[in-house]
Amino acid sequence: AHAHALIRDPSDMSLAIWSPSGVVAKAPVLRKAAKRLGQMGFQVSVDESAARKHQRFAGTDAERLDALHRMCDVSPDIVLATRGGYGVTRLLPQIDWSRLASSVSRGTRWVGHSDLTALQLGLLATEGAVTWHGPMACGDFGADEVDDITAPCFVEAMTGELEAVGFRTEAGFDGLEGEGVLWGGNLSMICSLLGTPWFPHIEGGVLFVEDVNEHPYRVERCLLQLAQAGVLDRQAAVLLGEFSDWRKSPLDKGYGLKSMVQAVRAATRTPVLTGLPFGHVPTKVLLPVGAQVDLVSEGRDALLVWGHI
């Protein structure tokens, strides 16, 4: 983190929209996102292959890999994914990670979540470069209405103004202090990287996780996998975001997200905090994956601080 980094103006920043994963089903949504980001002040371009279609993907693997490397070489100020879905996993062995890292060192901010977790953690594992876990073009800026926290938070993060995120957590963590590398993202994607060269080996880090369409027992299973692999015990803290759009089962009999959190807390000595505002929900804060952060809590108020990046 640079304490006195220059705060940019959005009108001086180029923003390129690209498709690394799933197909963009509705072209008007992509057009609306580009227009809206332009109205927010950014100089917006849409990659030539962003709306391509191949099966469930935004183009063939080769086309999406080309788009990734094209973004690296063009190095706009911001590279924003259209959407997630599935597709980055197929590309991992072919990605030129040093090319991606050099775009970051030239100032490019790569932004996304969900399937983008594989790209962000792969880059952190191989090159130690920082990316931004945050919104995506279609789902967030192409929506009927843009969330009134997500949009200004995006602008602040991209211009270098954002230096912390605060949230309300459960009681019991008053006075907690920790520091380390911030990393994480979509829980299913994190677990899919275990045992591969693209899984970051972070000691004393702050791990954040979220997921969508996963019943709490599946979330618990993923988190216990990380605990049993020794990952959770090596962290300074684990932050849980939103686990949205799951359906209750008649078999639950009172089992739910609270039971899941209890089971995970019992499986690790690391503090597990709830309430981080991010996930597959309208309100998304932006989080610098790979940055050094401080985590402090007072009462139920927790603060994640990284300074200007």
Side-chain angles (χ1 to χ4, degrees):
H2 308 291
H4 303 290
L6 186 67
I7 306 297
R8 304 275 303 272
D9 188 295
S11 63
D12 295 332
M13 301 185 77
S14 53
L15 185 155
I17 299 172
W18 71 306
S19 295
S21 306
V23 67
V24 174
K26 297 173 180 169
V29 174
L30 176 54
R31 287 196 292 272
K32 184 194 277 190
K35 182 179 178 182
R36 200 175 254 143
L37 286 157
Q39 289 166 344
M40 289 163 65
F42 298 104
Q43 301 167 26
V44 180
S45 62
V46 178
D47 181 66
E48 61 195 55
S49 66
R52 286 202 182 146
K53 295 175 167 63
H54 173 73
Q55 297 175 336
R56 62 179 296 114
F57 306 101
T60 63
D61 292 355
E63 286 172 331
R64 288 179 294 110
L65 185 68
D66 283 348
L68 168 60
H69 290 144
R70 186 161 54 245
M71 293 293 104
C72 294
D73 295 343
V74 173
S75 274
D77 295 306
I78 303 159
V79 177
L80 179 64
T82 52
R83 59 172 299 234
Y86 169 69
V88 172
T89 304
R90 287 180 163 208
L91 308 181
L92 291 171
Q94 282 82 46
I95 292 172
D96 185 339
W97 297 102
S98 63
R99 207 160 154 190
L100 187 50
S102 48
S103 77
V104 174
S105 65
R106 290 196 296 273
T108 299
R109 294 163 188 262
W110 294 76
V111 189
H113 66 281
S114 197
D115 196 54
L116 269 288
T117 298
L119 185 71
Q120 293 170 334
L121 294 189
L123 182 60
L124 180 57
T126 56
E127 301 283 340
V130 175
T131 54
W132 287 86
H133 195 281
M136 292 198 272
C138 292
D140 293 289
F141 298 108
D144 290 338
E145 289 183 25
V146 183
D147 183 80
D148 57 7
I149 291 173
T150 301
C153 191
F154 177 77
V155 173
E156 286 182 18
M158 294 302 96
T159 57
E161 198 178 340
L162 189 71
E163 54 182 349
V165 164
F167 61 99
R168 291 277 284 173
T169 191
E170 293 167 275
F173 298 99
D174 182 37
L176 177 72
E177 290 185 19
E179 59 178 304
V181 172
L182 182 67
W183 69 293
N186 179 262
L187 181 57
S188 299
M189 296 308 304
I190 295 167
C191 286
S192 76
L193 296 171
L194 263 175
T196 74
W198 305 290
F199 186 85
H201 295 280
I202 306 290
E203 300 280 337
V206 177
L207 170 65
F208 66 93
V209 298
E210 61 83 31
D211 222 318
V212 62
N213 298 326
E214 299 287 4
H215 190 283
Y217 84 80
R218 296 169 70 100
V219 174
E220 179 183 314
R221 182 169 61 200
C222 280
L223 285 165
L224 291 184
Q225 182 185 6
L226 292 174
Q228 291 159 3
V231 175
L232 297 192
D233 274 353
R234 291 200 297 267
Q235 306 311 311
V238 176
L239 309 181
L240 303 184
E242 300 275 355
F243 296 94
S244 53
D245 296 346
W246 58 276
R247 281 200 285 276
K248 290 182 177 178
S249 156
L251 302 175
D252 291 338
K253 308 286 189 222
Y255 176 87
L257 286 171
K258 284 188 174 172
S259 321
M260 175 275 286
V261 174
Q262 285 174 341
V264 174
R265 283 178 175 152
T268 180
R269 58 174 179 256
T270 301
V272 178
L273 281 67
T274 58
L276 189 66
F278 87 109
H280 286 69
V281 288
T283 300
K284 296 179 185 73
V285 296
L286 279 89
L287 300 166
V289 177
Q292 278 286 137
V293 297
D294 291 301
L295 175 66
V296 292
S297 65
E298 187 177 325
R300 288 183 53 202
D301 293 318
L303 190 64
L304 202 53
V305 186
W306 54 83
H308 295 297
I309 299 177

